[in-house]
């Protein structure tokens, strides 16, 4: 059986929502129309009933006061007037005395429905009169009624008005749904085209926005930010791949040459052990480099901060300083601290500890024995908090200052020293994860690296001096 193709425009969610709303409105309108119809008919009939009863009572009182002749004159006058009521005054013998309603044989008191024939020029449709028949005494009957077609016409007008309202609402709702669907489809097609282009490899494409601030604009802006982030990560991945390939070639070449030289020239056990020891050192350096690269990737890829907790930055700095102080002093360094009390930030304790440890190791590695190394913490909830490591060593070249956080970058002064150029890269990644900024400063003499936490991340603070800490 061949399936009927449904136009794409009718499958759009906005059209379905519009159609659902129109259907709901139509059902609500029908229910409302039924309620209004029943209430209006009841009110009209009650109004008609009250008017007839009032008129019948008045004419009955006139009959009691002045007799049949006087009543006959009143009924004749009412029949010639513009009143909407119909009358019949009938004698005890059933003869028609007055009124536009013809005599009715067998008429009895009470509410009755009387069919009144109409002339052909009036359409020929019988006039159905709902009348109250009253026995005035002595067999004289008075019937006062109203044409039921008047109520029927009003009821028909009410139904017609509601049908028009529902019909117009359905037409307008369907038309609006189609127009919304077309606009929605254009926006969705733009997103789809952008996604297809990105799938094909054009990572520079972005979803167009219209500046309306609606939900689709908000979605487009969010997706564009996501694409920007993906672009940064892809560039970073390409850069890391290139850096790893470039910077690991030298140690791998050295490792290969050591092993090849040992295979070709080592003749004693001592020669083999020396070659193996050298290869192990090179392998450990390579493993350390890979571990640092993986750690940076893990930090940069941490999208969630749900594991963050309140960290006492002051206590953390004291703990790391105490751990490094014995070895630093044995090597001839002077490690001092200036720690503000109870500075609490929101973050990851392990990452902040590793970042501070990297800064200390850099200071110890790149300054001569006898140098002064200082760890500082300061700040408050209004201006933010700072964790800084500074020294009075030779500092860094001005040309190297802006590149120190690049992976594998090493300045001219440090190329002959141990290391892989990843220490500050990891510190920068940790700072970015915590929403902090990494600041590198020449001190003349010396060099300082500061991690500046934003005010919102600082939970509490006891006032401490902030001398030497960047504002």
């Amino acid at each position: 059986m061949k399936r009927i193709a449904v136009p794409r425009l009718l499958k759009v969610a906005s059209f379905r929502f519009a159609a659902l709303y129109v259907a709901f409105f139509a059902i609500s309108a029908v229910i409302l129309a039924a309620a209004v119809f029943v209430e209006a008919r009841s009110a009209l009939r009650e109004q008609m009933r009250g008017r007839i009863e009032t008129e019948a009572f008045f004419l009955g009182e006139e009959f009691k006061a002045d007799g049949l002749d006087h009543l006959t004159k009143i009924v004749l006058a009412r029949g010639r007037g513009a009143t909407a009521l119909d009358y019949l005054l009938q004698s005890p013998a059933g003869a028609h005395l007055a009124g536009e309603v013809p005599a009715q044989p067998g008429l009895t008191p009470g509410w009755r429905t009387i069919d009144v024939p109409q002339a052909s020029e009036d359409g020929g449709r019988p006039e159905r009169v709902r009348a109250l028949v009253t026995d005035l005494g002595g067999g004289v009957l008075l019937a006062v009624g109203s044409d039921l077609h008047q109520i029927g016409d009003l009821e028909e007008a009410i139904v017609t008005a509601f049908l028009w309202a529902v019909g117009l609402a359905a037409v307008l709702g369907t038309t609006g749904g189609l127009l919304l669907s077309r606009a929605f489809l254009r926006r969705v097609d733009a997103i789809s085209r952008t996604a297809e282009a990105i799938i094909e490899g054009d990572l520079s494409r972005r979803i167009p926005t219209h500046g309306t601030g609606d939900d689709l604009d908000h979605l487009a802006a969010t997706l564009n930010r996501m694409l920007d982030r993906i672009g940064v990560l892809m560039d970073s991945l390409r850069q890391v791949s290139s850096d790893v390939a470039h910077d690991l070639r030298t140690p791998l070449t050295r490792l290969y040459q050591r092993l090849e030289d040992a295979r070709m020239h080592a003749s004693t056990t001592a020669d083999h052990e020396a070659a193996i020891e050298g290869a192990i050192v090179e392998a450990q350096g390579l493993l350390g480099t890979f571990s640092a690269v993986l750690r940076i990737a893990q930090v940069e890829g941490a999208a969630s901060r749900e594991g963050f907790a309140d960290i006492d930055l002051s206590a953390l700095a004291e703990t790391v300083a105490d751990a490094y102080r014995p070895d630093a002093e044995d090597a001839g360094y002077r490690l001092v601290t200036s720690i503000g009390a109870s500075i609490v930030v929101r973050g990851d304790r392990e990452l902040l500890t590793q970042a501070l440890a990297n800064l200390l190791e850099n200071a110890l590695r790149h300054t001569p024995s006898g140098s002064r190394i200082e760890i500082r913490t300061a700040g408050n909830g209004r201006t933010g908090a700072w964790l800084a490591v500074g020294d009075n060593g030779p500092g860094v070249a001005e040309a190297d200052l802006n590149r120190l956080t690049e992976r594998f970058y090493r300045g001219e002064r440090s190329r002959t020293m141990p290391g892989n150029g990843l220490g500050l890269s990891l510190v920068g990644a940790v700072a970015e994860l915590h929403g902090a900024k990494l600041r590198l400063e020449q001190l003349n003499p010396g060099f300082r690296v500061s991690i500046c936490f934003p005010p919102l991340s600082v939970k509490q603070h006891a006032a401490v001096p902030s001398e030497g800490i960047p504002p």
Side-chain angles (χ1 to χ4, degrees):
M1 182 177 179
K2 187 177 180 180
R3 297 181 61 184
I4 300 175
V6 179
R8 182 166 174 249
L9 200 63
L10 304 183
K11 297 180 182 179
V12 180
S14 58
F15 178 80
R16 293 182 178 179
F17 288 145
L20 182 63
Y21 177 78
V22 169
F24 178 77
F25 176 80
I27 293 172
S28 301
V30 168
I31 295 174
L32 178 62
V36 170
F37 178 82
V38 171
E39 187 65 26
R41 181 172 62 179
S42 175
L44 288 172
R45 295 198 175 210
E46 189 64 30
Q47 184 181 16
M48 179 190 71
R49 185 185 183 95
R51 184 179 180 187
I52 290 173
E53 289 176 344
T54 301
E55 183 71 4
F57 177 78
F58 170 75
L59 294 177
E61 292 298 316
E62 290 293 323
F63 173 78
K64 291 178 182 178
D66 297 315
L68 182 59
D69 291 339
H70 177 69
L71 179 60
T72 301
K73 292 177 182 179
I74 293 177
V75 171
L76 289 172
R78 295 288 176 108
R80 291 192 298 267
T83 177
L85 297 177
D86 297 314
Y87 301 90
L88 169 62
L89 188 60
Q90 185 171 297
S91 69
H96 181 272
L97 299 177
E100 58 272 27
V101 178
Q104 301 291 315
L107 190 63
T108 57
W111 285 98
R112 300 287 180 263
T113 301
I114 303 172
D115 290 331
V116 180
Q118 298 295 306
S120 57
E121 57 268 19
D122 294 333
R125 185 181 67 169
E127 180 181 349
R128 294 181 62 82
V129 176
R130 185 65 175 170
L132 175 60
V133 181
T134 306
D135 188 349
L136 300 178
V140 177
L141 298 178
L142 171 66
V144 181
S146 179
D147 186 2
L148 290 177
H149 289 312
Q150 295 178 0
I151 296 179
D153 292 340
L154 289 174
E155 293 172 348
E156 184 178 348
I158 293 173
V159 173
T160 302
F162 271 98
L163 288 177
W164 272 104
V166 172
L168 286 174
V171 172
L172 293 176
T174 303
T175 303
L178 291 172
L179 294 176
L180 286 175
S181 298
R182 287 185 60 186
F184 185 81
L185 272 180
R186 285 197 297 268
R187 303 286 293 276
V188 171
D189 287 342
I191 295 175
S192 299
R193 287 192 299 270
T194 302
E196 291 292 340
I198 292 173
I199 291 172
E200 293 297 325
D202 185 4
L203 296 180
S204 64
R205 289 286 293 273
R206 294 296 181 266
I207 301 169
T209 57
H210 293 72
T212 58
D214 58 12
D215 293 341
L216 287 177
D217 253 16
H218 180 71
L219 174 62
T222 302
L223 291 176
N224 285 339
R225 289 198 300 271
M226 179 190 70
L227 293 172
D228 290 340
R229 178 61 176 166
I230 291 174
V232 170
L233 293 178
M234 291 297 293
D235 291 341
S236 177
L237 178 61
R238 283 191 290 266
Q239 183 64 37
V240 168
S241 300
S242 174
D243 291 343
V244 168
H246 181 271
D247 285 82
L248 294 187
R249 177 177 295 179
T250 299
L252 285 173
T253 300
R254 288 199 303 265
L255 177 60
Y256 171 79
Q257 289 174 346
R258 282 180 180 273
L259 294 176
E260 181 68 15
D261 183 69
R263 185 174 68 86
M264 297 294 296
H265 302 103
S267 57
T268 65
T269 301
D271 292 339
H272 283 94
E273 288 180 352
I276 292 172
E277 185 67 28
I280 289 174
V281 172
E282 293 290 352
Q284 287 175 339
L286 288 170
L287 289 174
T289 298
F290 278 112
S291 296
V293 170
L294 289 174
R295 188 57 170 160
I296 293 172
Q298 290 172 353
V299 174
E300 290 181 339
S304 174
R305 296 179 173 84
E306 293 179 358
F308 278 18
D310 289 346
I311 307 298
D312 189 335
L313 195 64
S314 304
L316 184 149
E318 288 284 7
T319 300
V320 175
D322 290 342
Y324 276 84
R325 185 173 282 110
D327 291 337
E329 291 178 351
D330 288 345
Y333 292 93
R334 188 159 61 96
L335 181 58
V336 297
T337 58
S338 177
I339 307 296
S342 301
I343 302 174
V344 178
V345 298
R346 191 81 177 164
D348 185 296
R349 179 182 298 276
E350 179 183 351
L351 292 178
L352 292 175
T353 300
Q354 185 168 358
L356 179 55
N358 280 18
L359 294 178
L360 280 175
E361 289 176 2
N362 274 353
L364 292 170
R365 184 180 296 119
H366 298 291
T367 57
S369 178
S371 298
R372 179 180 183 273
I373 300 173
E374 181 181 22
I375 301 175
R376 271 183 174 269
T377 64
N380 53 53
R382 181 178 58 83
T383 59
W386 303 274
L387 171 63
V389 175
D391 59 66
N392 61 352
V396 300
E398 196 67 34
D400 296 332
L401 191 61
N402 294 329
R403 300 191 60 190
L404 291 180
T405 56
E406 296 179 9
R407 291 184 181 89
F408 299 107
Y409 182 79
R410 306 181 71 190
E412 291 297 330
R413 298 177 184 175
S414 59
R415 289 190 181 277
T416 58
M417 300 179 182
N420 51 28
L422 294 173
L424 283 179
S425 297
L426 178 58
V427 175
V430 172
E432 183 177 357
L433 179 65
H434 287 76
K437 292 183 179 180
L438 192 66
R439 178 173 291 184
L440 311 179
E441 299 173 280
Q442 296 277 29
L443 297 181
N444 296 320
F447 182 66
R448 179 169 60 202
V449 181
S450 305
I451 301 176
C452 306
F453 295 89
L456 293 179
S457 70
V458 182
K459 296 298 181 181
Q460 62 187 50
H461 172 70
V464 296
S466 58
E467 181 182 356
I469 299 299

